[in-house]
Amino acid sequence: MPKIAKSPPTDRLVADELRDALGACTIGREITVVEETASTNDSVLQRAAFDAPEGLVVFAEGQTAGRGQRGNPWESAAHKGLWFSILLRPRIDIGDSGRLTAWATEAIAQTIAKEFALTVTVKPPNDICVAGKKIAGVLVEMRAQPNAPHVAICGIGINMNHRPEDFSEELCAGAASLAMVLDRQVDRQQFAIALLRNLERTYVETFGL
């Protein structure tokens, strides 16, 4: 496989540019980008306790304790991927969190397929794969709220500009990045905009507001 060029040092997510590109919306109505956090899900949950608005999105350039399903660690190489979480207040029962997972995985798969003309498969319940390798994953966590819609945190991790050596030996056999599949670097900012737009559209269609 040809060697993928390193990401330029100016490859940063810019919250104001993301917000401005989305226009009127719920998902992305407020966007924060932090350099590093333990987990974007935990960061959003902390903000939810202070009445943060539905649709708040927190991106991290790196996570020190990212996690996936069943508490499995999620490797979040700094400035290589999209690591973010969305605060939602869907009017669904707490036992229906699987509907949110299905919605998010399908939206991610659709966006990757459209933006990069790739064949994408969803491996239930929460893995998004290209050419048999895991590219992205989703973790939905819900918290019950008395007399109010439950709080849902939808965490999303997408491997964007990783090179093979950016993965641990444990993961390198089963994981890949969009850059590895396409043999070129991808624009994280532009893909984030496309994905947030699709998440917004499909969330409204699936759950209403």
Side-chain angles (χ1 to χ4, degrees):
M1 178 181 294
K3 191 174 182 63
I4 301 166
K6 293 184 178 180
S7 300
T10 55
D11 181 22
R12 297 287 189 273
L13 298 172
V14 181
D16 288 346
E17 293 179 7
L18 290 168
R19 172 79 283 285
D20 291 346
L22 297 177
C25 61
T26 295
I27 293 178
R29 73 200 315 167
E30 184 176 318
I31 297 176
T32 297
V33 178
V34 299
E35 182 63 24
E36 184 178 88
T37 189
S39 159
T40 57
N41 268 30
D42 291 345
S43 181
V44 168
L45 185 60
Q46 291 166 6
R47 288 167 166 80
F50 295 94
D51 295 324
E54 181 177 28
L56 165 72
V57 180
V58 174
F59 286 89
E61 290 288 11
Q63 296 182 112
T64 59
R67 61 184 181 273
Q69 290 284 90
R70 297 176 294 279
N72 293 325
W74 181 276
E75 295 184 6
S76 310
H79 304 283
K80 298 289 185 179
L82 291 179
W83 327 120
F84 68 101
S85 296
I86 308 166
L87 172 61
L88 300 169
R89 293 190 172 92
R91 296 183 180 278
I92 62 174
D93 292 335
I94 202 162
D96 288 337
S97 63
R99 291 179 59 199
L100 288 167
T101 301
W103 153 72
T105 53
E106 288 294 340
I108 295 165
Q110 289 171 3
T111 309
I112 292 174
K114 180 179 179 181
E115 295 298 312
F116 302 111
L118 292 171
T119 299
V120 185
T121 58
V122 173
K123 180 181 177 183
N126 69 321
D127 290 349
I128 297 97
C129 302
V130 175
K133 299 289 187 76
K134 183 172 179 176
I135 294 285
V138 173
L139 176 66
V140 171
E141 298 177 303
M142 292 191 71
R143 299 290 187 274
Q145 301 290 305
N147 305 315
H150 301 316
V151 168
I153 313 298
C154 180
I156 294 172
I158 305 173
N159 301 329
M160 301 287 290
N161 285 324
H162 297 62
R163 295 168 293 162
E165 57 266 34
D166 292 318
F167 292 107
S168 67
E169 184 176 348
E170 180 182 3
L171 292 183
C172 63
S177 70
L178 290 171
M180 290 166 60
V181 172
L182 296 166
D183 191 28
R184 64 176 175 85
Q185 293 284 294
V186 293
D187 189 321
R188 295 187 304 142
Q189 180 97 351
Q190 290 305 309
F191 181 76
I193 292 168
L195 178 56
L196 289 172
R197 285 173 174 162
N198 197 31
L199 287 165
E200 165 78 5
R201 179 184 62 80
T202 54
Y203 184 72
V204 172
E205 290 175 353
T206 305
F207 299 100
L209 290 174

